[in-house]
Amino acid sequence: MPLPEGSGTLHGRLLRADGTHGADIEVTLVSFARSGIQGLGRTRSGPDGSFRFEGIATDPRIVYFVVAAGGGVRHSKQASFGEGENEVAV
């Protein structure tokens, strides 16, 4: 099921334990709504380790989990939008 649509952006940057950029790593974003509906999106990190999910729902009741693993990077982070927020950095 795709991620819920909206006007939000969730972005971040992957770094390895040694501080170098986590380039070309698959990043998965999973959404969990209180209604029980889940969504899933995938992207790859850029040369500088950055990743971005745009056009996602900003409902504060939706919890997002960002997961990245591979190439020396292991990352899992929970995030959600605050009331009135359109952008979240992780």
Side-chain angles (χ1 to χ4, degrees):
M1 181 163 264
L3 293 168
E5 293 181 6
S7 61
T9 300
L10 186 146
H11 61 91
R13 178 165 289 144
L14 301 176
L15 295 174
R16 293 184 176 89
D18 65 4
T20 60
H21 297 124
D24 197 34
I25 305 291
E26 184 175 77
V27 181
T28 303
L29 183 62
V30 182
S31 66
F32 293 95
R34 289 186 184 187
S35 64
I37 297 174
Q38 297 180 19
L40 179 71
R42 289 192 170 94
T43 192
R44 295 196 78 79
S45 60
D48 64 349
S50 65
F51 63 90
R52 189 172 199 84
F53 293 91
E54 296 180 323
I56 60 175
T58 60
D59 184 337
R61 297 171 295 180
I62 297 174
V63 177
Y64 291 97
F65 288 92
V66 180
V67 180
V73 172
R74 288 183 182 258
H75 178 78
S76 177
K77 178 79 175 173
Q78 179 179 329
S80 59
F81 289 87
E83 198 65 47
E85 288 184 328
N86 283 324
E87 187 172 330
V88 172
V90 293

